């Protein structure tokens, strides 16, 4: 029986050969039309003019036509007209549903404790299934209401317990089963948003729903990291990998909107690029009207473009070009999307399957929320899993792992097998008593202000960390910090190690403000990356806000998110002759280094070191 992703890939291959619209070799590119905009397309002039704007600037393979949003259902006649129009343009067509009553009112959803609302949800699913053989639920299939009916239905359960059960049942009883009864061929897909660490509180059930929906989709919008959700750039890749591991073979694609484009064209391009680095088979450009109406403006050209050499080149993207024999002057963000994806497509076929440092995040867990995205931004490749994964040389455990009542036994098993376990201070604080059977460490409410990392460098600012206490000569500090540390009066562990059986347990200190991880000096980050690179095959040396994306075919992508160029070293944990640029074919020779004298510091005889420089907001694909 084919998996959902295999079906998508097979369909993508057929589409590329059957139609002229799609011109990508390794994935499909789609867009989505909101219900209210579909209704406007009953006007021929609007329908044709928007298509002319979009299609002249971006190549598309598929379009999703929404039937319902904000308690409004598009007339069937209009849907069929719009569907026929896009099919006539050579595009695949699917459906979409957004189960909201009022987005302007704090994204008000339907009330699933009310029979009237439940019947409306069911009717919309049946209506959509009659018109399309596949449709996506936009990422509002949750509940955010606490009206009197919901309060009564909840009873003595917590809101999380109540909502998880309510929505898992609603998806099956009100959407999937009714849709398939109307159209047995229909594929019903649920799209999940980007705030995955908080899903359980609103009823998104990542444990049960992916098992009965035909597929899932992933919100990879990171927009402006300083906005209310604090989504770090790396999430656009990391969440794809996490959902791949939740539903292997059935995570259909990523979903990016125009949020963050006000920061620069590069911020939008990075979201698209990082989504595709996950090797997903499809991406949705949200949404069709953004592609038609978000205008290119000069403030989208970032200052670092003046230095030249950037991966995403604004001046080239906005220059006039020829398409289908016609001269086109780019006017909207559609051109940015097209150029970024065609550029990324050249790299995708050269990369293997993504790998990384496995991080165990049990279903419905929380604690140190979204921390893995910050760790990705300091150069630690993340590979999040909802179930414990045996057979790894190393495994990372954040406070989320405390959700598993058997976590200490699993830690012991990993250590007895000779593997490493890396725990964060958040987890140490949560399971201190249970973990004492492995090592007696203490992390409570004591804090320290630090800025000096001794031989590993100094931070540009002071920040607060939790204090980790330990027995001298039972545990050892690998990286330390103080205020000051050199010539000071006290220091505190940043990376601590302890031995148990055949393995080693590390404690990684997480600042109170996760963003202060970016303030760790390069010397400290280099040691941390080196220690945690056993399952990855390579690591980088350099400042923060540079990410490493490794693959299982001895390739990798290194990406710089800084506003300035950075000098880096790439350390391969093997003896190799050269490191080649995957796209240009240029070969780099290793630099001569002296093996280190101390454990966890310097290089070993079995490593090879290369140097490179990356412009601001740029990437490079490498193979060895």
């Amino acid at each position: 029986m084919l998996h959902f992703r295999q079906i998508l890939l097979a369909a993508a291959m057929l589409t590329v050969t059957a139609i002229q619209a799609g011109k990508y070799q390794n994935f499909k590119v789609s867009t989505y039309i909101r219900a209210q905009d579909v209704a406007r397309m009953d006007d021929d002039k609007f329908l044709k003019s928007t298509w002319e704007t979009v299609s002249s600037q971006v190549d598309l393979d598929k379009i999703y036509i929404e039937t319902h949003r904000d308690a409004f259902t598009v007339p069937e006649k209009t849907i069929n007209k719009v569907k026929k129009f896009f099919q006539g343009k050579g595009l695949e067509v699917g459906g979409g549903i957004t189960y909201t009553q009022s987005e302007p009112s704090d994204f008000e959803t339907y009330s699933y404790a009310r029979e009237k609302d439940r019947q409306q949800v069911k009717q919309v699913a049946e209506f959509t299934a009659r018109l399309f053989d596949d449709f996506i639920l936009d990422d509002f299939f949750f509940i955010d209401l606490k009206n009197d009916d919901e309060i009564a239905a909840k009873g003595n359960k917590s809101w999380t317990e109540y909502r998880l059960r309510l929505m898992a049942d609603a998806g099956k009883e009100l959407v999937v089963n009714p849709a398939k009864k109307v159209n047995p061929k229909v594929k019903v897909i649920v799209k999940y948003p980007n705030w995955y660490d908080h899903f359980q509180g609103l009823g998104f059930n990542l444990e049960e729903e992916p098992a009965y929906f035909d597929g899932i989709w992933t919100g990879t919008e990171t927009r402006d990291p300083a906005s209310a959700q604090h989504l770090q750039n790396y999430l656009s890749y990391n969440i794809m990998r996490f959902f791949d591991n939740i539903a292997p073979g059935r995570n259909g694609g990523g979903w990016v909107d125009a949020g963050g484009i006000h920061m620069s064209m590069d911020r939008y391009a990075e979201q698209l690029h990082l989504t595709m680095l996950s090797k997903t088979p499809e991406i949705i450009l949200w949404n069709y009207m953004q592609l038609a109406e978000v205008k290119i403006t000069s403030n989208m050209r970032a200052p670092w473009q003046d230095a030249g050499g950037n991966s995403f080149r604004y001046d080239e993207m906005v220059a006039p070009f020829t398409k289908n024999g016609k001269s086109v002057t780019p006017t909207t963000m559609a051109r940015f999307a097209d150029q970024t994806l065609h550029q990324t497509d050249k790299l995708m076929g050269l990369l293997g399957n993504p790998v990384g440092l496995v991080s165990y995040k049990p279903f419905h867990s929380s604690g140190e929320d979204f921390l893995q995205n910050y760790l990705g931004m300091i150069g630690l490749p993340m590979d999040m899993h909802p179930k414990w994964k045996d057979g790894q040389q190393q495994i990372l455990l954040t406070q989320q792992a405390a959700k598993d009542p058997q976590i200490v036994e699993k830690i012991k098993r990993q250590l007895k097998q000779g593997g490493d376990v890396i725990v964060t201070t958040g987890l140490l604080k949560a399971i201190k008593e249970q973990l004492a059977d492995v090592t007696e460490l203490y992390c409570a409410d004591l804090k320290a202000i630090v800025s000096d990392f001794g031989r590993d460098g100094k931070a540009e600012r002071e920040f607060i960390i939790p204090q980790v206490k330990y027995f001298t000569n039972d545990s050892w500090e690998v990286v330390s910090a103080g205020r000051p540390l050199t010539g000071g009066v006290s220091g505190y562990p940043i990376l601590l190690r302890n031995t148990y059986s055949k393995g080693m347990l590390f404690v990684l200190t997480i600042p109170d403000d996760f963003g202060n991880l970016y303030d760790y000096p390069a010397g400290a980050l280099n040691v941390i990356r080196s220690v945690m690179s056993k399952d990855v095959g390579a690591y980088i040396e350099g400042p923060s806000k540079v990410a490493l994306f490794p693959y299982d075919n001895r390739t990798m992508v290194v990406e710089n998110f800084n506003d300035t160029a950075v000098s880096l070293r790439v350390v391969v944990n093997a003896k190799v002759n050269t490191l080649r640029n995957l796209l240009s074919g240029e070969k780099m020779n290793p630099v001569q280094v002296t093996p280190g004298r101390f454990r966890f510091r310097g290089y070993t005889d079995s490593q090879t070191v290369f140097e490179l420089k990356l412009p601001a907001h740029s990437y490079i694909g490498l193979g060895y």
Side-chain angles (χ1 to χ4, degrees), residues 381-402:
M382 293 288 101
D383 188 18
M384 294 168 56
H385 287 257
K387 297 179 181 179
W388 182 272
K389 189 174 182 182
D390 284 315
Q392 303 301 301
Q393 295 184 73
Q394 296 182 309
I395 192 162
L396 169 69
L397 304 175
T398 72
Q399 188 178 350
Q400 298 159 341

Side-chain angles (χ1 to χ4, degrees), residues 258-331:
I261 202 169
H262 65 281
M263 298 179 67
S264 74
M265 169 273 298
D266 302 75
R267 181 76 280 274
Y268 175 60
E270 285 168 350
Q271 296 176 70
L272 301 172
H273 176 69
L274 293 176
T275 299
M276 306 321 291
L277 287 185
S278 71
K279 302 297 294 285
T280 186
E282 188 175 342
I283 186 169
I284 286 181
L285 305 175
W286 173 269
N287 64 55
Y288 184 80
M289 292 310 301
Q290 287 186 353
L291 295 176
E293 296 180 342
V294 176
K295 301 299 183 183
I296 293 174
T297 61
S298 58
N299 64 2
M300 294 175 183
R301 187 184 191 277
W304 52 80
Q305 292 282 334
D306 291 336
N310 309 86
S311 293
F312 309 111
R313 298 172 183 172
Y314 176 91
D315 293 341
E316 293 180 12
M317 290 188 181
V318 300
F321 63 98
T322 300
K323 184 171 184 177
N324 297 327
K326 296 181 179 180
S327 178
V328 180
T329 298
T331 57

Side-chain angles (χ1 to χ4, degrees), residues 188-219:
V188 185
I189 305 153
V190 58
K191 184 249 181 175
Y192 292 115
N194 46 21
W195 38 277
Y196 61 87
D197 259 330
H198 301 158
F199 280 179
Q200 60 274 9
L202 281 295
F204 274 132
N205 194 321
L206 288 180
E207 186 172 14
E208 296 185 40
E209 290 171 358
Y212 65 77
F213 276 100
D214 295 294
I216 67 173
W217 271 69
T218 305

